[in-house]
Amino acid sequence: QVQLVESGGGSVQAGGSLRLSCVASGSTSSRACMGWFRQAPGKERERVAFLISGTDKTVYADSVKGRFTISEDKAKNTVFLQMNNLKPEDTAIYYCAATSGTLCVIGRYDNWGQGTQVTVSS
């Protein structure tokens, strides 16, 4: 199993920036893919970005391309989500997630953090 702890959420005005962090512990094989998801009230959960650990492979949702950057510091077992030019529609609870390489292929994540709130005001 994998334990994930997010931090870095908060409230900002539109155009501002935030950096989310996710510290991971536990099974390395279950952290082959690391992703960030978000869920706004009344909306379905959306995958924002993910990376394949140890590679330069990253994938972003169209809604955040060019504004958000996912990265990792393997030495610190930490994944980051740098969010720039934030918009009110980015307001949501953001979750860090991890999964094995096998499940990553089908987009299924089986380890989740507790979430961190991001609020963007206009």
Side-chain angles (χ1 to χ4, degrees), residues 9-85:
S11 298
V12 296
Q13 290 191 327
S17 299
L18 284 172
R19 188 174 81 156
L20 306 183
S21 299
C22 172
V23 179
S25 59
S27 170
T28 302
S29 63
S30 296
R31 289 186 267 149
C33 284
M34 300 291 296
W36 285 97
F37 292 72
R38 68 185 180 187
Q39 188 165 22
K43 294 188 176 181
E44 292 188 355
R45 186 174 59 196
E46 173 189 23
R47 188 178 66 188
V48 174
F50 79 93
L51 59 79
I52 300 176
S53 184
T55 75
D56 59 359
K57 175 69 173 180
T58 58
V59 177
Y60 297 92
D62 288 343
S63 57
V64 306
K65 279 181 182 177
R67 300 188 298 122
F68 290 12
T69 302
I70 187 171
S71 62
E72 67 175 346
D73 182 335
K74 288 185 67 66
K76 296 182 178 180
N77 293 320
T78 303
V79 175
F80 303 99
L81 185 67
Q82 178 67 44
M83 306 185 293
N84 297 328
N85 190 22

Side-chain angles (χ1 to χ4, degrees), residues 13-16 63 67-68 84-91 120-121:
Q13 290 191 327
S63 57
R67 300 188 298 122
F68 290 12
N84 297 328
N85 190 22
L86 283 160
K87 304 176 180 180
E89 52 263 43
D90 294 319
T91 295
V120 184
S121 58

